[in-house]
Amino acid sequence: MEDSMDVDMSPLRPQNYLFCCELKADKDDHFKVDDDENGHQSSLRTVSLGAGAKDELHTVEAEAMNYEGSPIKVTLATLKMSVQPTVSLGGFEIPPPVV
């Protein structure tokens, strides 16, 4: 009988990577990938204001592609330090590219 190699034939599982960014009004943050073979998604879970944020309205928006492939901008959260400094998005997933 021939020796067989031990090969893991279990299905591939998604891999998650921690990503964090500090958003500023005059700077966009981009999530894009060069690998088209794998299905990448940005999973947004929490948006919160930093300790030094002013007590005014702060709007967080995402720009991505809609189902027709056209760019679309969506407001994800509007936060104010004295009212609602943090919001949970519950794993809002967007395929790249996302701004």
Side-chain angles (χ1 to χ4, degrees):
M1 185 170 206
E2 294 182 29
D3 290 329
S4 63
M5 295 176 49
D6 290 332
V7 178
D8 184 10
M9 298 302 288
S10 62
L12 295 176
R13 294 187 317 197
Q15 295 181 353
N16 296 311
Y17 297 96
L18 181 63
F19 175 76
C20 175
C21 65
E22 181 178 350
L23 301 175
K24 301 205 179 248
D26 59 345
K27 179 183 172 272
D28 289 339
D29 206 331
H30 297 262
F31 174 71
K32 57 186 173 185
V33 293
D34 296 328
D35 176 13
D36 291 335
E37 292 181 19
N38 297 307
H40 296 276
Q41 287 192 336
S42 173
S43 180
L44 306 173
R45 299 188 185 255
T46 305
V47 178
S48 59
L49 296 175
K54 294 180 182 178
D55 193 31
E56 58 189 28
L57 288 178
H58 299 268
T59 303
V60 178
E61 298 176 324
E63 184 175 333
M65 299 294 174
N66 67 10
Y67 69 96
E68 295 175 328
S70 302
I72 185 170
K73 189 181 285 190
V74 177
T75 299
L76 300 176
T78 303
L79 306 173
K80 186 173 182 179
M81 187 59 89
S82 63
V83 179
Q84 184 176 6
T86 300
V87 66
S88 174
L89 299 174
F92 186 77
E93 296 180 344
I94 307 171
V98 180
V99 179

